[in-house]
Amino acid sequence: MRTPTPTIVLFRQDLRLADHPALWAGVQRGPVLPVFIHNPLDEHGAAWRWWHDQSLTAFSAALAERGLPLILRRGDTLATVGDLIAQSGARAVFWNRRYDPSGMAQDRILKAALLADGVEACSFPGHLLAEPWELLRDDRPYRVFTPFWKAFLARVRVVEPLPIPDHMQASLSVPSSENLDTWAWQPRKPDWSAGLAAAWEPGENGAWQRLHGFLENGLYCYDSARNEPARHCVSRLSPHLAHGELSPRQIWQQVQELASRYPQLAANADAFLRELVWREFSWHLLYHFPDLPHTPLRPEFARFPWREDRGALGAWQQGRTGYPMIDAGMRELWQTGWMHNRVRMIVASFLVKDLQIHWQQGAAWFWDTLVDADLANNSVSWQWVAGCGADAAPYFRIFNPVLQSRKFDPHGVYLRHWLPELGSLDDTHIHDPTNAGGEVLARVGITLGRDYPRPMVNHVIAREAALQAFAQLKK
């Protein structure tokens, strides 16, 4: 009797056992050999690498509990897969599809080469609720979210997630694996990751705990309070989605089931699922416009006179702008690798409109510091704020950081958490210490320029300058 040949299952940003179509199909075929290849072409930021290191460790342990090793390799994907085929005798390679330009190009080359060598090569949908080419209007991609959302609701049927496969059989021939510690994805000295470790539990188990916690304690206020950064009314699931520890189908199903049991949650569930479909929209745009990370979708913005100012960029990155809401958000990002979505919009608007610094520099900082760094969301959202992307915010929409702070953090709870040096100010003055007056500041022992920076720009003047620069693009 012939020994069944193993199927290599490639894992990338899908580090989970449940609802993994490629793993499911591989198990049905016979023995499986789980593999993770770190290709230098797939570089990510430091915070993303920290998370993925933790997630790979958790995923390897989950596989080991089921008698399967996780093979870790570095190098070119095609060459590495060829070596693994030779070492294991595998005659099939399965993976879940990627939709970023580099990943798709690599996978096209891989599939063509494998099929030419007589090796079965299959890719599966596992990253999105719908394939990017499935939702088109008159054979053209959507560029505005609301019609995309309506088309999604009318035409997409989200299929039921797959369970963890039963009786996973390991390959009899197991190639050697590299040691994850040698990849140096964890920070050395100085170790800046303590805040990340305190805030998150990477891995599939941590993802499910986060989802259940949101469904029990956060979904009920999502529609009314999701813009308030001090409230626990957002899911914080984005890192788990970015690393594939949960699939969007799993989240969709859990939210729908809860809303069906508790109809009073319907408005909150709809608002949350709409945000999940925004993620779909971002990947839809990146698939159809692969230059989005580098090129404005509205070509006239290529002429915008962006400023080069390393000092101003550094102050923004360090949370030293003199605007409390901006500084609180940037400090939250540095310490936890995450930032509340409303605050992301405010700090992004400040960079590209008050400081007139190129949105790509902001996107690059987010790419390096966010644990949920996602090429589609990062590119589309920065272009949205800058006014140069699809369904973009109008160029004249310039967030006032003080008014935004007062509106969404009226009692300064979020500000006091991240800016303890301002904690003694009352709810009125904490949003704008500059206008508190010398008597108020002296009473609480705060000296601007020493204990907290003065505003680096006057928002009213900066807004007018931005409007003038944007108006030139219309000529």
Side-chain angles (χ1 to χ4, degrees), residues 258-277:
L258 188 65
S260 68
R261 292 200 304 271
Y262 302 99
Q264 66 270 27
L265 290 176
N268 292 288
D270 287 348
F272 177 75
L273 294 178
R274 184 182 175 96
E275 294 302 313
L276 194 60
V277 175

Side-chain angles (χ1 to χ4, degrees), residues 160-181:
E160 186 175 344
L162 295 165
I164 298 175
D166 291 329
H167 311 299
M168 289 185 279
Q169 181 182 355
S171 170
L172 293 177
S173 179
V174 179
S176 62
S177 174
E178 295 187 32
N179 189 325
L180 185 58
D181 290 341

Side-chain angles (χ1 to χ4, degrees), residues 42-60:
D42 300 327
E43 278 302 326
H44 287 82
W48 189 97
R49 292 195 298 272
W50 173 88
W51 185 295
H52 221 60
D53 179 282
Q54 304 285 315
S55 189
L56 276 169
T57 299
F59 184 59
S60 180

Side-chain angles (χ1 to χ4, degrees), residues 219-228 231 233 267-268 271 408:
L219 183 61
Y220 78 95
C221 61
Y222 185 84
D223 189 34
S224 60
R226 68 180 182 274
N227 284 310
E228 300 176 34
R231 298 281 300 275
C233 296
N268 292 288
F408 295 114

Side-chain angles (χ1 to χ4, degrees), residues 87-109:
Q87 295 163 14
S88 67
R91 299 307 301 162
V93 183
F94 292 173
W95 63 86
N96 290 335
R97 294 184 195 120
R98 298 184 287 182
Y99 304 96
D100 63 287
S102 175
M104 287 192 300
Q106 292 177 52
D107 289 350
R108 279 194 295 267
I109 294 171

Side-chain angles (χ1 to χ4, degrees), residues 101 246 298 308 367-368 388 415:
L246 275 177
R298 293 176 58 185
E308 283 288 340
W367 185 252
D368 196 44
C388 60
L415 300 184

Side-chain angles (χ1 to χ4, degrees), residues 98-101 104 108 128 130-144 148 155 280-293 295 297 376 380 390:
R98 298 184 287 182
Y99 304 96
D100 63 287
M104 287 192 300
R108 279 194 295 267
L128 302 173
E131 297 292 67
W133 52 84
E134 291 179 347
L135 279 180
L136 298 173
R137 181 168 58 184
D138 300 326
D139 295 324
R140 291 179 296 178
Y142 285 90
R143 293 175 57 136
V144 178
F148 180 87
R155 293 159 51 187
E280 299 282 313
F281 181 57
S282 296
W283 281 102
H284 172 88
L285 289 170
L286 182 60
Y287 175 83
H288 291 287
F289 303 99
D291 292 331
L292 268 180
T295 305
L297 194 60
V380 170

